Amino acid sequence: MIYEGKQKIWSEYQKEIPDDHYFYVRSCIRQSFFPASEATFLRITREALGKDIFETEHHTTCGGIAYHSDTIPQETVMTIIARQFALMAKYGYENYVCSCITSFGLYCETMETWREFPELEARIRENLWKTCRLEFAKPKFLIHASDLIYKYRNLIAAQAVRKLVNVHTGEPLKVVEHIGCHYSKMFPSKGVGGAEYPYVLVGMVEAWGGEIVDYPERRHCCGFGFRQYFIKGNRGYSVSNTHKKFESMEPFKPDLIITNCPGCPYFLDRWQYVIAESTGKTYGPDGHGIPALTYEEVAGLVMGYDPWDLGLQTHQVGVEPLLDKMGVEYDPTRKYLGKNGKNLGEPLPCACLK
Amino acid sequence: MTPLFHLLAAQAADPEVIDRIPSGYSHFVIPFTIGITFMLCWIGVGCIRLLYAIPQADRLKFWKSLFLPKTIVKNLKDLFGDCLLHVKIWQRKPLLGYMHSAIAFGWFMLIVLGHIEVALFVPARLNVTRGGLFYPIFYRYFVWMNPGHTTLRGSFFFFLMDFFLLYVLSGIALAVFKRFRSIVLGMRHTTKPSFADRVALYSLWMIFPLRLLAESFTADLSGGSFLTVGVNHFWHFLFGDKLWFTPCWWAYSICLGLFFAAMPFSRYMHILTEVLWILLRNAGIQPHHPRKGVAEAEIYACSSCGLCLDACPMNVQKKNLKYSSVYFIRFLRRHNEKKINAIADKCLMCDKCHALCPVGVDAPALRRAQRATVNNALPYDYSYLASAVSSGQPSGHGRVHSRFAAAEYGLGPAAVPETALTESKSPRVLYFAGCMTHLTPRIIKSVDKVFKAAGVDYVFADREGGICCGRPLMLAGRTEAAAVVIEANKKMIEESGCDTLVLSCPICFKVFKEEYHLAGIKVVHYTQFINDLIISGRLPVQKKEQKLVYHDPCELGRGCGVYFEPRAALNQLGTLVKASKEYDESICCGGSLGSLTLDSRDRSKISEASLDSLLANDPETIVTACPLCLKTFSEAVSNVRGRDINVSVKDFAEVVCP
Amino acid sequence: MVDFGFGLVPSSRINLDLFDKDKYEELAAVEPDVRICMACGSCTAVCTAGKFSTTSLREAIEDIKNAQPTKALELLKACQLCGKCSMVCPRGINTRHLILSIINTYSIK
Amino acid sequence: MKNNILIIGGGPAGLEASAQLQRMGYNVILIEKSPKLGGHLAKWDRLFPDSVPADEVLGGLLRGSEGVKCFTDTDVRAINRLDKSYNVRLTNGITVLSDAVLVASGFDLFDAVKKEEYGYGIYDQVMTNADLEAYFKTGSDRRIENPGRIGFAHCVGSRDEKSGCRSCSKVCCATAVKQAIEMKQAFPQAEVYCFYMDLRLFGRHYEDLYLKAQKEYGIRFIRGRLAEVSENYDGTLQVKAEDTVAGKPLKVTLDLLVLMAGMRPSASGKAIGDLLEMAVEEDGYFAVRSGIAACQRSPIPGIFLAGAATGPKTLPETLADARAAAMEIDRYLTEIFPDARNYKQLVRERW
């Protein structure tokens, strides 16, 4: 691997990210998959970095899941998106930050489509007025939340209490980055670092002291694939996709997987359990799995936030070995206690995955 | 034996012949005795082993055949004709025939006459215990002519013995000459002898000159005729009265011994095996294995004469000589598995070596059997044939054929006779084109034209493409798989209700004729069928100003014996000129399906040779009656480099109905 | 082991790393023509058996080279050795011998 | 009077044209931007289809053009059209008054880095056709150490609208087959794969080369464009493509991947074209007066073109093109140029 070669490519895919005043929209599924991630994002950007992040309870789904499952017409989905943008404009913002990669891709796609087919944009403008009485608007900057963390990666590193380093050996942690397919594969110029060698997560890991692992199936989908997962008969394909990735990364012995998409950490996490329980195969040392975290969770860890506040107990693959490696102190008894101290209930032990 | 002895003794008080050496033995007979004993033991054991390897049913058939008058006659005819007189060689190459018969028949006569002499003059010596094995051979050494008592009978035998010795010697002289200049005797290529062959060959060459030497040395003692006595006088003239004849007899015996000892390992084993092979062949027993049973008799019956070398169309290139039948059989004897397979796979299966073989060794059949050892057991799955036959094939009821797209070969709707199947007076004719004919649609078109012109109602069995006839599978040694294909086709044909099956492909024709056993259905090749149409006047033809040459397709001519009908028909259509090789000597076009491994360049060399033969008398048109030949020649004619060939290649039916 | 009602799906991907070179060389030694196929498909187009059954010499050769000999054997099972393919092959491949050699080399004996 | 002719580009086309024009008695000035004459030919080892050494061909070209005024390390600084001739100021300070200008600026090899998914310049074991020729010439390259599996990716930067080139580069297929054979000769135990979309082996002996590659060298041709390349833990490459003949995705582990970088219009040629305001076509190569009848004439009178400046060409085509350009220049300088009175009319009629 020639690092300079990658740097050359990264330098060609730089994206303008505004400094402040963001309109933030949440992801539908992340709030249930990894509920603390978005809270951590707000905590870091607002509290630690002091940025103006605006949220409104009036925003809805972007329609992406329905769109990619072929259950909603394109015009409908575009009108939903137009409403989101209109809300942003209504509250006086022009920097649109979304938490979800599916949304991000769909926004990019929609804006490109409007650019190519202005008559379609005109129709959507009309639809929006007819349905919501809102003025059509387009964001000046369309940003994914990971772009923002990427932008502030060095500020975060400056405030960090620990690095992505194995405290016992002093070696940097080996980190696998997984980018959501819809982040830059459709429009390489819209993502930091392009599509072939995206830099958005690499930049964070490097800034926080970790070492990136580039494995052959790095570009491969996590296995979500919408219809592949939603229909039970197709789930074999979904899990096979994930399996292919893990088989490919196994020789590199990664300590951690960092992701920037709602579905990816979920499937990279849960399918490890399914693979383990149905085939007996695990990918971490001694029957453990490889923890698959969101970038906010990783940022929270280096910032010294309590792992249970970061929601790490909601992962199927146990994070304790990782926390031990990083020297994170945690109270095992608090793992399954909610914010109010009430027990959330404990999962049954697995047969194969520790 | 005694009565004869007494009878002879009574006739002449003083015997004509006196047993010169009372013991009837001399040391010099040892080499011969050892040699012949070894050979006889070998052959005895071999015969038993061979007969044992033949399946029970075949063995029974064999024994029975020996007592059937018809086979007895044929056996006698073949034994004399093939083994002794070599009639088949005489017919094609008289000088070569003379050579072979001189050695074989001459030697045979020497042996027979020698034994008759012993039986007449010293009958007691015929007993094995009294030297019966060697005494008749060295008769001239052991006896003394009673001077003044020689009868006319004795002189007659002396004359016969000398005559046949001279006859053999002339054959040997030719054989020696052939070793150096074979082309004079009509052979371009001769076999390369193996070591045992050489030992036996040189022994054989030496035997008769030495015999002449030995007998001539003793001729003044034991008698002789024009040759031996003449030579004897010459020796006396040269050496005076002191003739040291014992070393000659020793040398003679040693050569005989060597010859017989080398015989089982050499080509000369054929001298005796041929007899068995002819009996087995005439009993109609087929080989099931390339080396065991009948096949063993067959491969040992091969005289390695090398006539198949020139017969083989592959040998236009010298590098292919090694694939000839004679070497195939040699390697079969040696069990050289790797070489056997390579040789077996290379052959075009044109059957010319078989047709020209003086002893009728069916090498192509052995090659098929050899291929079967590799290919027969390979997996196959023809389960689709069940549905293939029931759909898209004529069922015999209703007008299935009208469903077919008549336009495919440019045939108008009239080509499909709508009333054919009902109450037609003419027999119902089914035409089966076969796979290869589908690659040469002009045959299909012409056949249709002919049938229309003659008013033949016919059903085109495989207009939409049928399944293979099974012959290519058989040629590849896949007899079991072939049986499945044959069964499927057979069902289709029997259900069609036809009474005549016309085939335009000789490959199909051969297998339909020989393997299908279609009861009540006449299987004919279209050349035969069309010739009949012309003879019966149903197909009016006009003789044109055109010079035609006819190429005998291998499977049609040598394969099925159809030589006459196509020629008869073509004679009605134009002037038929001769090819330099035709009938059973016709040269394969090179496109044969028989060969599995011959590559396209080698094939085109064969095509060229075949074309050369056909163009010998400057024909305007080459006519053939096989889709493969047609396709091969059509391409070859345009590819022959550096020559200006102005000849068209046409199918038989095309010439009949242009 | 838990049955989830779904599981890993075998890949249909060609993996050339599984290519058995020795076996292929064994085949190429008996029938070198296997190397020169250029996948024109003439053989498949004229195939007698192909009218009734899924069979393709072109595909079988491809399968052999793609480390999937079982598929090749399955395809060639239907062959009747009629030889039409050898007549149309532009490279003059001895197709019948190639078919027999593939079956012979790759069949489990 | 001897006419001055300026030839821009010292590759095969420039050398051959200068040799021919010198023979005709013209005063030829040849300029070459790099320090060495010969263009890409000087960097090549052997030439398809008969493996003729490139040095031999180049040697012949150089011998043929001996005596030509030749400036290496020289580019055009400015150029302006006088009445009929061109006043050309060179970077070495010399000014040439030239009656005809032949632009033989050739081509650039496609920058394989632009095909990011192939990882040239990122993965250790990826190289280009030019790198491989350099290896053949020098016998050393850190990437080549007894490779067991070698892949050749055809059409890198050719027939690919995404990388800005719709058309075929014409020479890569034959080059790939040639290089594949050479690698197999160097490493007989290696498995060699060629990933192609169409094999465009149109020239004489090219098909023989292809047949030889299959028959004698056992090179495997896979119909399918290489899709992505990644690096395995042990530094080997995992490449993915579709075998479009089999209709299945395919992957293979390689020790070496050679990218057949295609031809792109020369960047420095483009700069000269800009000075002259020469028209270029959509594919980036210079436009010609007529694609069939006048391939060596530019739309501007007195400006001629030869070689790969007007699109990808094989070497024999380039040389033939150069000879044709020499003939065209001669025709122009004898039939049109001397007639000062009717020059404009003649140009209208005969250019």
Side-chain angles (χ1 to χ4, degrees):
Chain A
M1 196 73 67
I2 305 159
Y3 189 74
E4 296 73 30
K6 277 192 183 176
Q7 280 179 313
K8 203 173 150 229
I9 287 188
W10 290 332
S11 67
E12 278 166 24
Y13 292 100
Q14 285 305 319
K15 174 178 178 179
E16 194 182 346
I17 303 164
D19 284 330
D20 206 350
H21 309 297
Y22 311 103
F23 180 79
Y24 184 58
V25 285
R26 298 207 181 205
S27 153
C28 308
I29 55 177
R30 288 185 94 208
Q31 295 178 72
S32 45
F33 286 176
F34 304 106
S37 286
E38 286 174 343
T40 308
F41 173 79
L42 293 173
R43 183 174 164 193
I44 292 171
T45 47
R46 281 182 179 151
E47 291 171 21
L49 303 171
K51 300 294 172 186
D52 168 26
I53 307 257
F54 180 82
E55 263 202 293
T56 167
E57 69 275 28
H58 296 299
H59 89 72
T60 64
T61 173
C62 67
I65 288 177
Y67 178 62
H68 291 298
S69 309
D70 283 348
T71 55
I72 186 171
Q74 193 186 26
E75 270 189 44
T76 312
V77 97
M78 283 182 167
T79 310
I80 295 172
I81 289 166
R83 181 179 170 275
Q84 310 274 75
F85 290 163
L87 285 176
M88 170 194 73
K90 187 179 154 192
Y91 292 109
Y93 286 86
E94 53 186 11
N95 305 329
Y96 192 93
V97 180
C98 56
S99 165
C100 173
I101 292 282
T102 304
S103 304
F104 181 73
L106 192 54
Y107 293 145
C108 290
E109 184 186 328
T110 302
M111 293 197 13
E112 278 299 304
T113 313
W114 288 345
R115 197 174 61 79
E116 292 264 352
F117 305 97
E119 69 282 3
L120 188 59
E121 185 187 307
R123 204 153 63 236
I124 300 301
R125 187 185 294 264
E126 196 185 326
N127 288 353
L128 180 67
W129 181 252
K130 278 183 187 163
T131 51
C132 309
R133 299 285 162 206
L134 281 171
E135 278 297 338
F136 184 84
K138 283 193 276 188
K140 189 174 174 196
F141 291 100
L142 181 64
I143 306 145
H144 185 253
S146 61
D147 294 340
L148 218 56
I149 299 292
Y150 164 79
K151 184 179 170 71
Y152 299 122
R153 66 193 187 282
N154 292 323
L155 293 178
I156 292 168
Q159 295 187 29
V161 299
R162 65 174 67 87
K163 289 183 147 193
L164 293 175
V165 166
N166 185 328
V167 291
H168 306 292
T169 64
E171 296 281 319
L173 293 182
K174 286 191 195 138
V175 186
V176 156
E177 38 99 40
H178 178 86
I179 306 289
C181 293
H182 292 185
Y183 175 68
S184 59
K185 279 183 189 160
M186 291 187 284
F187 303 99
S189 63
K190 306 280 185 203
V192 175
E196 292 296 333
Y197 311 93
Y199 189 57
V200 59
L201 294 178
V202 176
M204 293 180 206
V205 172
E206 284 178 347
W208 302 336
E211 183 189 303
I212 279 293
V213 163
D214 196 344
Y215 64 108
E217 297 293 355
R218 165 174 50 78
R219 300 171 176 102
H220 207 76
C221 170
C222 67
F224 186 178
F226 299 93
R227 276 164 296 184
Q228 267 59 37
Y229 171 69
F230 293 145
I231 298 162
K232 191 178 174 185
N234 290 347
R235 273 181 208 163
Y237 295 114
S238 174
V239 72
S240 300
N241 263 297
T242 315
H243 177 253
K244 182 187 256 177
K245 285 185 78 76
F246 278 103
E247 288 291 321
S248 175
M249 71 174 79
E250 190 185 13
F252 296 84
K253 298 191 174 64
D255 298 303
L256 164 70
I257 301 169
I258 179 171
T259 63
N260 72 342
C261 178
C264 306
Y266 186 80
F267 287 93
L268 294 175
D269 182 60
R270 304 300 198 266
W271 283 158
Q272 281 195 70
Y273 160 73
V274 171
I275 292 167
E277 298 306 302
S278 59
T279 71
K281 178 90 189 249
T282 53
Y283 292 95
D286 313 322
H288 288 281
I290 305 170
L293 307 187
T294 67
Y295 60 96
E296 294 104 325
E297 288 167 344
V298 178
L301 280 178
V302 299
M303 293 283 278
Y305 298 168
D306 185 279
W308 309 141
D309 288 350
L310 290 170
L312 296 190
Q313 64 274 58
T314 62
H315 289 253
Q316 182 75 55
V317 175
V319 292
E320 286 85 348
L322 173 70
L323 300 178
D324 292 340
K325 267 184 228 168
M326 289 177 71
V328 178
E329 282 173 21
Y330 59 94
D331 180 0
T333 58
R334 279 195 58 235
K335 183 171 181 182
Y336 294 111
L337 297 184
K339 285 223 151 192
N340 50 12
K342 257 175 74 180
N343 196 322
L344 297 168
E346 280 183 41
L348 291 170
C350 311
C352 294
L353 187 69
K354 273 189 196 166
Chain B
M1 292 298 158
T2 340
L4 186 66
F5 176 74
H6 283 297
L7 189 71
L8 284 166
Q11 270 182 355
D14 276 333
E16 193 179 346
V17 173
I18 293 165
D19 218 347
R20 192 167 66 88
I21 297 163
S23 66
Y25 171 78
S26 174
H27 288 314
F28 82 85
V29 302
I30 293 172
F32 165 76
T33 313
I34 291 173
I36 193 118
T37 312
F38 171 72
M39 190 273 285
L40 288 174
C41 291
W42 183 281
I43 208 163
V45 172
C47 271
I48 293 164
R49 212 165 45 89
L50 195 150
L51 287 173
Y52 184 74
I54 296 174
Q56 178 76 32
D58 279 354
R59 208 156 49 223
L60 214 68
K61 201 170 152 191
F62 173 63
W63 295 127
K64 271 188 194 159
S65 81
L66 295 181
F67 298 100
L68 286 173
K70 208 175 138 200
T71 15
I72 291 171
V73 173
K74 191 162 168 35
N75 280 343
L76 285 174
K77 186 173 151 266
D78 283 1
L79 287 174
F80 270 91
D82 291 357
C83 298
L84 296 175
L85 301 174
H86 291 91
V87 178
K88 280 188 188 158
I89 309 180
W90 272 100
Q91 282 167 352
R92 291 183 204 270
K93 308 221 156 74
L95 203 54
L96 200 64
Y98 173 79
M99 183 198 99
H100 278 95
S101 64
I103 300 171
F105 184 61
W107 195 3
F108 175 75
M109 286 313 287
L110 284 176
I111 295 167
V112 171
L113 289 170
H115 279 77
I116 292 175
E117 275 188 314
V118 176
L120 283 179
F121 302 117
V122 274
R125 294 294 183 192
L126 278 180
N127 193 331
V128 180
T129 52
R130 299 196 57 195
L133 197 59
F134 56 82
Y135 195 92
I137 307 300
F138 303 113
Y139 173 66
R140 285 278 190 280
Y141 178 85
F142 290 112
V143 296
W144 179 59
M145 283 311 300
N146 198 352
H149 289 84
T150 315
T151 62
L152 190 64
R153 191 181 56 175
S155 303
F156 176 64
F157 275 106
F158 287 145
F159 171 76
L160 277 184
M161 290 299 272
D162 272 17
F163 171 76
F164 280 109
L165 183 57
L166 186 64
Y167 183 37
V168 175
L169 282 169
S170 68
I172 295 284
L174 275 174
V176 175
F177 181 69
K178 175 178 150 253
R179 237 341 93 185
F180 303 103
R181 288 291 307 276
S182 65
I183 194 77
V184 178
L185 282 88
M187 286 181 78
R188 222 145 46 83
H189 300 106
T190 53
T191 22
K192 232 174 91 191
S194 67
F195 175 71
D197 283 346
R198 279 179 199 279
V199 171
L201 175 73
Y202 298 139
S203 309
L204 183 63
W205 283 0
M206 294 302 293
I207 286 170
F208 294 97
L210 282 170
R211 181 179 176 137
L212 174 64
L213 210 60
E215 291 194 346
S216 65
F217 274 125
T218 50
D220 46 357
L221 295 175
S222 52
S225 188
F226 63 95
L227 185 63
T228 39
V229 172
V231 179
N232 181 269
H233 287 312
F234 179 67
W235 297 139
H236 280 291
F237 170 74
L238 271 186
F239 306 116
D241 279 349
K242 279 206 163 181
L243 294 183
W244 289 89
F245 49 75
T246 321
C248 295
W249 284 100
W250 265 100
Y252 176 44
S253 169
I254 288 171
C255 276
L256 277 172
L258 260 178
F259 177 74
F260 287 120
M263 200 166 150
F265 313 105
S266 77
R267 50 197 266 189
Y268 299 98
M269 196 60 186
H270 80 272
I271 297 171
L272 295 164
T273 324
E274 231 177 289
V275 176
L276 182 63
W277 158 237
I278 285 171
L279 298 181
L280 286 164
R281 185 184 76 191
N282 288 346
I285 300 168
Q286 287 289 320
H288 294 283
H289 187 279
R291 275 194 301 281
K292 289 180 192 151
V294 190
E296 190 160 15
E298 200 168 353
I299 62 180
Y300 279 97
C302 168
S303 65
S304 232
C305 67
L307 282 174
C308 50
L309 290 172
D310 286 347
C312 182
M314 283 199 294
N315 291 348
V316 286
Q317 285 176 292
K318 228 176 162 184
K319 63 166 184 146
N320 286 334
L321 279 170
K322 57 178 177 286
Y323 299 112
S324 304
S325 293
V326 53
Y327 296 117
F328 174 60
I329 286 167
R330 184 180 288 180
F331 287 120
L332 277 179
R333 279 196 204 177
R334 291 185 191 166
H335 294 257
N336 188 330
E337 204 65 41
K338 209 175 166 189
K339 278 194 176 154
I340 298 170
N341 281 330
I343 299 176
D345 287 351
K346 193 68 90 177
C347 172
L348 290 156
M349 299 281 182
C350 75
D351 217 35
K352 196 167 163 186
C353 53
H354 177 207
L356 266 54
C357 180
V359 281
V361 171
D362 191 354
L366 291 177
R367 293 189 200 240
R368 277 201 305 278
Q370 179 60 33
R371 289 177 184 185
T373 60
V374 180
N375 297 336
N376 201 22
L378 297 181
Y380 62 90
D381 178 5
Y382 297 156
S383 51
Y384 60 85
L385 288 181
S387 59
V389 174
S390 62
S391 70
Q393 302 287 339
S395 71
H397 312 292
R399 297 190 183 103
V400 181
H401 53 277
S402 63
R403 289 209 325 259
F404 299 153
E408 192 175 334
Y409 295 104
L411 311 178
V416 184
E418 293 291 320
T419 54
L421 317 180
T422 46
E423 289 298 313
S424 178
K425 271 174 281 156
S426 62
R428 260 211 62 190
V429 175
L430 189 69
Y431 170 58
F432 185 86
C435 304
M436 285 300 170
T437 310
H438 280 276
L439 285 178
T440 48
R442 55 181 170 145
I443 297 181
I444 292 172
K445 259 183 163 172
S446 306
V447 167
D448 179 65
K449 262 192 194 171
V450 173
F451 284 179
K452 260 201 284 183
V456 177
D457 291 337
Y458 79 105
V459 173
F460 190 166
D462 56 341
R463 183 191 298 275
E464 295 285 275
I467 57 171
C468 182
C469 62
R471 177 75 181 154
L473 281 165
M474 296 191 65
L475 284 171
R478 307 200 63 178
T479 37
E480 273 176 37
V484 180
V485 175
I486 288 171
E487 205 43 54
N489 264 327
K490 192 175 168 183
K491 193 168 158 238
M492 178 271 289
I493 289 161
E494 281 174 346
E495 283 176 1
S496 76
C498 71
D499 53 22
T500 306
L501 174 64
V502 182
L503 301 144
S504 53
C505 174
I507 303 168
C508 301
F509 179 51
K510 184 164 170 75
V511 73
F512 274 102
K513 223 174 87 162
E514 291 179 0
E515 306 289 336
Y516 275 61
H517 311 296
L518 294 160
I521 299 173
K522 206 174 139 202
V523 179
V524 287
H525 191 244
Y526 73 146
T527 53
Q528 299 172 311
F529 190 75
I530 293 172
N531 188 47
D532 282 350
L533 290 178
I534 295 172
I535 290 171
S536 65
R538 281 181 69 186
L539 183 67
V541 287
Q542 233 183 348
K543 193 157 180 154
K544 280 196 215 151
E545 278 293 312
Q546 53 179 353
K547 256 168 102 179
L548 308 170
V549 67
Y550 174 68
H551 168 77
D552 288 287
C554 306
E555 295 274 58
L556 188 62
R558 287 183 290 266
C560 300
V562 177
Y563 296 111
F564 164 75
E565 295 93 331
R567 285 187 169 80
L570 291 175
N571 270 323
Q572 307 276 315
L573 298 158
T575 317
L576 194 60
V577 300
K578 282 178 130 1
S580 62
K581 299 274 181 196
E582 50 183 8
Y583 295 96
D584 64 349
E585 289 194 24
S586 146
I587 304 169
C588 171
C589 68
S592 165
L593 277 180
S595 176
L596 293 174
T597 53
L598 201 65
D599 69 32
S600 49
R601 282 183 199 179
D602 288 3
R603 283 174 184 270
S604 62
K605 289 270 186 266
I606 295 167
S607 309
E608 269 184 51
S610 189
L611 276 178
D612 277 341
S613 155
L614 291 167
L615 297 175
N617 290 309
D618 300 318
E620 291 158 3
T621 307
I622 295 170
V623 187
T624 183
C626 166
L628 269 178
C629 300
L630 183 70
K631 198 164 159 50
T632 309
F633 283 140
S634 303
E635 282 162 16
V637 160
S638 55
N639 285 343
V640 173
R641 258 174 263 153
R643 261 201 297 176
D644 185 23
I645 295 184
N646 192 15
V647 65
S648 61
V649 180
K650 281 188 183 154
D651 178 64
F652 177 77
E654 267 184 297
V655 179
V656 175
C657 266
Chain C
M1 297 292 151
V2 181
D3 179 11
F4 293 92
F6 58 91
L8 295 177
V9 181
S11 174
S12 66
R13 179 187 296 279
I14 296 161
N15 186 351
L16 290 183
D17 295 348
L18 303 177
F19 177 68
D20 185 343
K21 195 180 175 190
D22 294 341
K23 201 89 172 159
Y24 180 75
E25 289 303 327
E26 200 182 301
L27 170 67
V30 285
E31 187 44 77
D33 284 357
V34 67
R35 296 189 199 277
I36 62 172
C37 171
M38 48 183 184
C40 73
S42 302
C43 49
T44 312
V46 296
C47 181
T48 295
K51 191 167 145 41
F52 309 105
S53 162
T54 317
T55 178
S56 163
L57 175 58
R58 190 270 304 153
E59 204 177 324
I61 295 172
E62 196 79 9
D63 287 339
I64 291 288
K65 294 179 181 173
N66 283 340
Q68 297 173 324
T70 328
K71 278 172 78 181
L73 291 177
E74 207 48 49
L75 284 169
L76 296 180
K77 265 186 176 174
C79 171
Q80 299 173 12
L81 285 182
C82 76
K84 275 173 95 178
C85 45
S86 67
M87 297 305 287
V88 297
C89 177
R91 279 261 167 106
I93 294 174
N94 262 320
T95 51
R96 296 168 72 237
H97 189 243
L98 178 56
I99 291 166
L100 289 169
S101 305
I102 290 175
I103 302 175
N104 201 12
T105 310
Y106 286 91
S107 289
I108 300 146
K109 280 165 235 164
Chain D
M1 189 200 97
K2 273 183 166 180
N3 297 92
N4 277 350
I5 300 165
L6 177 70
I7 297 179
I8 301 168
L15 288 171
E16 179 67 16
S18 64
Q20 298 297 337
L21 289 166
Q22 182 176 243
R23 271 189 64 242
M24 293 174 185
Y26 293 103
N27 188 27
V28 182
I29 302 111
L30 178 69
I31 62 164
E32 163 60 43
K33 68 170 194 301
S34 72
K36 233 178 108 185
L37 290 173
H40 295 276
L41 182 59
K43 297 172 196 154
W44 235 246
D45 182 46
R46 275 175 286 173
L47 305 172
F48 67 78
D50 302 319
S51 283
V52 175
D55 286 346
E56 209 172 87
V57 177
L58 181 58
L61 289 171
L62 291 173
R63 274 194 301 282
S65 56
E66 263 169 30
V68 170
K69 274 181 224 65
C70 178
F71 303 114
T72 51
D73 274 322
T74 305
D75 211 339
V76 176
R77 176 157 294 155
I79 189 162
N80 43 19
R81 189 171 157 83
L82 307 173
D83 199 15
K84 291 193 295 183
S85 306
Y86 291 88
N87 188 30
V88 187
R89 207 142 52 78
L90 304 178
T91 48
N92 60 3
I94 294 169
T95 301
V96 179
L97 186 67
S98 178
D99 298 335
V101 176
L102 175 65
V103 179
S105 54
F107 66 94
D108 287 347
L109 269 181
F110 173 76
D111 179 10
V113 172
K114 286 186 180 148
K115 285 299 285 180
E116 290 167 18
E117 62 268 42
Y118 295 166
Y120 180 65
I122 291 179
Y123 304 133
D124 292 320
Q125 294 306 103
V126 183
M127 68 190 324
T128 63
N129 42 4
D131 297 341
L132 190 59
E133 287 296 328
Y135 165 76
F136 288 141
K137 267 184 105 96
T138 62
S140 84
D141 189 296
R142 60 161 181 84
R143 290 164 284 208
I144 299 175
E145 197 186 320
N146 198 17
R149 289 158 179 266
I150 307 166
F152 284 84
H154 292 224
C155 297
V156 175
S158 307
R159 304 185 70 201
D160 179 3
E161 305 224 14
K162 288 269 175 68
S163 51
C165 182
R166 189 192 307 137
S167 53
C168 168
S169 291
K170 219 172 183 182
V171 296
C172 328
C173 280
T175 304
V177 178
K178 181 206 77 138
Q179 292 188 339
I181 289 175
E182 286 169 332
M183 283 307 266
K184 190 79 184 168
Q185 285 168 341
F187 306 103
Q189 290 307 309
E191 287 284 297
V192 180
Y193 305 96
C194 281
F195 293 89
Y196 70 96
M197 293 199 292
D198 291 298
L199 279 175
R200 299 191 162 185
L201 295 163
F202 50 87
R204 195 176 183 191
H205 296 174
Y206 294 9
E207 187 69 16
D208 303 341
L209 192 70
Y210 171 41
L211 183 61
K212 190 165 89 173
Q214 285 185 303
K215 197 174 181 171
E216 290 168 34
Y217 294 95
I219 290 158
R220 171 82 202 280
F221 289 86
I222 298 165
R223 190 183 187 281
R225 195 188 184 96
L226 214 61
E228 69 172 57
V229 181
S230 32
E231 203 172 71
N232 287 317
Y233 187 64
D234 59 1
T236 57
L237 300 166
Q238 176 188 288
V239 307
K240 289 182 184 173
E242 185 193 352
D243 181 341
T244 61
V245 176
K248 284 272 181 287
L250 171 151
K251 80 167 185 186
V252 63
T253 306
L254 297 177
D255 297 320
L256 184 70
L257 175 66
V258 186
L259 305 177
M260 304 311 296
M263 287 189 187
R264 302 297 300 128
S266 151
S268 49
K270 173 89 171 40
I272 290 162
D274 289 346
L275 292 175
L276 279 162
E277 291 177 344
M278 280 167 74
V280 289
E281 287 187 20
E282 193 197 350
D283 60 7
Y285 293 102
F286 290 119
V288 293
R289 187 77 179 83
S290 155
I292 290 168
C295 303
Q296 294 80 24
R297 265 176 269 161
S298 86
I300 306 168
I303 306 281
F304 295 83
L305 295 156
T310 53
K313 283 180 187 60
T314 64
L315 198 52
E317 285 170 349
T318 294
L319 298 180
D321 202 42
R323 278 170 224 133
M327 291 300 294
E328 287 273 33
I329 292 172
D330 181 54
R331 190 186 73 102
Y332 169 75
L333 291 179
T334 50
E335 286 185 10
I336 303 174
F337 188 82
D339 193 341
R341 206 148 43 95
N342 299 321
Y343 177 75
K344 280 198 171 140
Q345 193 196 335
L346 283 172
V347 162
R348 260 200 307 282
E349 285 168 5
R350 300 198 192 165
W351 182 256

